[in-house]
Amino acid sequence: MKLLLDTHLLLWVAAEPKKLPGAARRMIENPRNQLLFSAASLWEIAIKNQLGRKDFRVEPRTLRRGLLDNGYLELPITSEHAVTTDTLPNLHKDPFDRLLVAQAQVEGIVLLTTDEQVAQYPGPVRKI
C-alpha cells in the first residue's frame, strides 16, 4: 500500500519516534508499504521553522535527505493537486493539510494523519 505521511508524522519519524502511535509505527515499518512524503510538508516545515515554531525545529534539507536515504519517495506538487483543493469541503483551513488531502485523492494513495479534522475529509485519509 502507498502511504503519504502528514507533516507531524514525518517530524516524529525523523526526530521523535516515541511519539508515533503504535498503528503508525506498524504501518511505517511494514516492508510491503511504500512510504511517501510531500514537497508540501517540507515547504510547511521550512516556513514554520523560519517563524520560530518550536514544534517545527527541523532543518528541512536534512529531513529530506534522511527520508530519501531511508527509502521514502518524494511526491511533488502538481497543478492538478493544487486545483483539486477547491473541491474539498471547508473542514480545515490549513492550506498544507488541504494540499496533502488533495494529493492523496488525485494519486489514489492513503494519507496517514493524527489530525481529527483532516481525518474527516472524504477519500483515502486514515487517522491513526
Side-chain angles (χ1 to χ4, degrees), residues 6 8-9 11-12 17 19 43 46 53 63 65 70-72 75 88 95 97 104 111 113 115 117-118 120 123 125-126:
D6 78 1
H8 278 97
L9 286 173
L11 290 169
W12 294 344
K19 285 189 174 183
W43 182 23
R53 288 266 310 259
L63 175 59
R65 184 76 264 147
N70 283 286
Y72 285 70
L75 181 58
L88 299 176
D97 287 333
L111 171 61
T113 186
D115 187 311
Q117 285 183 299
V118 173
Q120 292 176 24
V125 180
R126 186 167 180 188

Side-chain angles (χ1 to χ4, degrees), residues 7-12 15-16 19 44-59 63 94:
T7 306
H8 278 97
L9 286 173
L10 288 174
L11 290 169
W12 294 344
E16 299 178 274
K19 285 189 174 183
E44 178 180 17
I45 291 166
I47 289 171
K48 292 180 178 178
N49 186 8
Q50 273 191 322
L51 293 173
R53 288 266 310 259
K54 291 182 182 181
D55 53 339
F56 287 85
R57 297 308 252 170
V58 173
E59 206 294 312
L63 175 59
D94 185 303

Side-chain angles (χ1 to χ4, degrees), residues 4 6 8-9 15-16 25 27 38 45-46 54 65 72 78-79 82-83 85 91 93 95 109 126 128:
L4 176 61
D6 78 1
H8 278 97
L9 286 173
E16 299 178 274
R25 181 175 283 110
M27 293 180 82
S38 173
I45 291 166
K54 291 182 182 181
R65 184 76 264 147
Y72 285 70
T78 68
S79 58
V83 299
T85 63
L91 302 173
K93 302 293 183 211
I109 56 181
R126 186 167 180 188
I128 50 169

Side-chain angles (χ1 to χ4, degrees), residues 101-115:
V101 171
Q103 285 183 298
Q105 288 182 356
V106 168
E107 302 300 327
I109 56 181
V110 175
L111 171 61
L112 293 183
T113 186
T114 58
D115 187 311

